[in-house]
Amino acid sequence: MPQTLSTSDMVTPGSLSPPPTEPTDGEHARQPLLDGVPSSASLDTLIQQLVPTADYYPEKAYIFTFLLSSRLFIEPRELLARVCHLCIEQQQLDKPVLDKARVRKFGPKLLQLLAEWTETFPRDFQEESTIGHLKDVVGRIAPCDEAYRKRVHQLLQALHQKLAALGQRPESLLGADKPISYRTKPPASIHRELLDICSDPYTLAQQLTHVELERLQHIGPEEFVQAFVNKDPLASTKPCFTEKTNNLEAYVKWFNRLCYLVATEICMPAKKKQRAQVIEFFIDVARECFNIGNFNSLMAIISGMNMSPVSRLKKTWAKVKTAKFFILEHQMDPTGNFCNYRTALRGAAHRSLTAHSSREKIVIPFFSLLIKDIYFLNEGCANRLPNGHVNFEKFLELAKQVGEFIRWKQVECPFEQDPSITHYLHTAPIFSEDGLYLASYESESPENQTEKERWKSLRSSILGKT
């Protein structure tokens, strides 16, 4: 069976041997990087380098990098069509009589390429026309070895299962997209607090990690590229690719929801002693998230506690043992481009590489910062050079960052899910921003004129009071 793509291979480019074809017309000799990967080339040349032959197969690092970045210049279905056409043309698969010895050397390489493509970028094969290209080219080599037909049947079965799994949007993934939002404190008789559902910080940190990994599984590597698709200067006025990045956007919404949930849970209790207990509980949850390697939930919790309606509760914070909180804040301090966090992330990444258990493999990065890093990488370097060549060196760095994230998201969660807790995390009503301020002012009266005017405005607009 063809081997599927190893993520470690993805992010560690190996030595590339160019395919046995001449450069396209007008193309100068390529300027290779130190490891042999071309730093730039025409799109046609890069496509040719993807095409296997009887004696050549591209490095896995190249396959991942090009399939990830090529969608900035050509739609996946068109790329597959061109790859299949080149295979048919170069291997003379359209001839009535095939060179069976040659095809038997070429066939396994073609199937391996298709296996790696469908495994890593299954959404590229959602259209029936794309599947048609795949079936056509394999159908041409099948007469030379019936095992090819069996292998492609297995490949398509795995692809359909993967697409079906990606297409299933569990209720838990939908719940946070449009949460119920409080504008005022609800009656105590209908409100349930998180501490009533889960009072153990470590358990909640585990369940947050479960939610994070479940959501990450639905994000495809291509979404990182599609999030920053700009018009190709050599293309028409239309964007190259217009598919939405729903899973990536949903994950960012989850982060925002968790921030507001933390703030809501803190602002909800009427007594400052209870509010202080909730704050200390979340500090302990955040610490456990840090120990697990769940930096996204950690940052969401810290962000929730630093929201203005929470941070202004001075009488409440006076009852909180804040030493642990300040340590966590220091770890996630944005100073020096999040230097402390990046050090901690590298430590977690190293632990993951040498881990012997799923528990030690967990690395869930602060997602908004990852997106920001990729955004600045994209904005800082041109996709094409002045001569029209694709800036492949840029995309190697992009593939390194995305490939590392893909490895992290594939870790199986070692913690057993508690449906009652995860359901609450996804569906518990949260305050709107105005609702948070109103609850905060009701808990601790406004201290200055600005706060008094805001409170008066909120009371008038929300409660209809003057």
Side-chain angles (χ1 to χ4, degrees), residues 104-382:
R104 287 193 180 107
K105 291 179 66 180
F106 164 75
K109 295 182 175 66
L110 171 63
L111 289 170
Q112 182 176 350
L113 175 65
L114 294 174
E116 294 184 5
W117 194 338
T118 55
E119 169 67 21
T120 313
F121 299 95
R123 291 186 180 91
D124 288 355
F125 296 83
Q126 289 179 310
E127 297 182 17
E128 194 60 38
S129 61
T130 311
I131 299 294
H133 290 307
L134 186 154
K135 289 181 177 179
D136 175 63
V137 70
V138 175
R140 294 173 184 269
I141 65 173
C144 296
D145 192 334
E146 278 303 312
Y148 296 158
R149 202 181 302 276
K150 181 179 179 181
R151 288 181 183 179
V152 80
H153 176 71
Q154 294 170 336
L155 183 153
L156 289 174
Q157 274 190 324
L159 173 63
H160 290 149
Q161 290 173 359
K162 202 169 185 69
L163 286 173
L166 291 172
Q168 291 175 350
R169 299 269 293 172
E171 185 179 354
S172 61
L173 294 187
L174 296 172
D177 291 344
K178 293 183 179 180
I180 302 171
S181 203
Y182 287 144
R183 299 185 75 192
T184 60
K185 288 188 179 182
S189 59
I190 68 169
H191 176 68
R192 298 176 70 197
E193 295 180 350
L194 179 57
L195 282 170
D196 295 333
I197 309 296
C198 177
S199 59
D200 177 46
Y202 185 54
T203 299
L204 183 57
Q206 290 180 333
Q207 295 308 302
L208 285 169
T209 302
H210 204 289
V211 171
E212 298 278 357
L213 290 173
E214 181 183 27
R215 286 181 164 273
L216 289 179
Q217 286 177 2
H218 286 75
I219 300 176
E222 69 279 0
E223 294 194 45
F224 289 94
V225 172
Q226 290 164 191
F228 306 117
V229 167
N230 293 315
K231 186 178 66 178
D232 183 356
L234 299 187
S236 65
T237 57
K238 295 182 179 180
C240 296
F241 206 84
T242 58
E243 184 176 331
K244 293 182 179 181
T245 54
N246 292 333
N247 298 299
L248 190 150
E249 293 169 5
Y251 191 59
V252 173
K253 288 181 180 178
W254 153 250
F255 178 90
N256 293 334
R257 170 178 169 77
L258 184 53
C259 292
Y260 273 83
L261 180 62
V262 169
T264 297
E265 295 289 332
I266 294 171
C267 290
M268 189 70 73
K271 297 180 179 180
K272 59 178 176 287
K273 180 179 180 181
Q274 293 174 315
R275 293 194 297 272
Q277 288 176 342
V278 175
I279 290 175
E280 291 187 340
F281 173 73
F282 276 118
I283 291 172
D284 289 338
V285 174
R287 183 180 61 177
E288 296 298 345
C289 286
F290 179 84
N291 292 336
I292 289 172
N294 180 357
F295 297 104
N296 200 57
S297 291
L298 165 63
M299 192 61 178
I301 293 170
I302 292 175
S303 299
M305 289 193 287
N306 279 327
M307 291 180 73
S308 294
V310 177
S311 62
R312 66 166 298 277
L313 298 173
K314 295 179 181 178
K315 294 178 182 178
T316 302
W317 280 96
K319 291 185 170 292
V320 175
K321 298 176 182 178
T322 55
K324 290 183 289 185
F325 180 64
F326 292 149
I327 292 172
L328 292 171
E329 272 196 317
H330 177 71
Q331 289 291 342
M332 305 304 287
D333 187 347
T335 303
N337 193 18
F338 289 89
C339 176
N340 295 335
Y341 158 70
R342 294 182 189 277
T343 300
L345 180 66
R346 285 195 298 270
H350 178 73
R351 179 186 68 184
S352 178
L353 287 173
T354 59
H356 299 290
S357 67
S358 296
R359 165 66 180 80
E360 296 174 320
K361 291 180 181 179
I362 296 172
V363 182
I364 302 174
F366 172 29
F367 196 67
S368 294
L369 186 60
L370 174 64
I371 295 294
K372 180 182 176 182
D373 288 345
I374 293 174
Y375 172 80
F376 281 112
L377 171 62
N378 181 66
E379 290 296 305
C381 303

Side-chain angles (χ1 to χ4, degrees), residues 17-34:
S17 302
T21 56
E22 295 298 322
T24 56
D25 292 341
E27 182 174 332
H28 301 291
R30 280 175 263 169
Q31 301 295 319
L33 299 178
L34 292 177

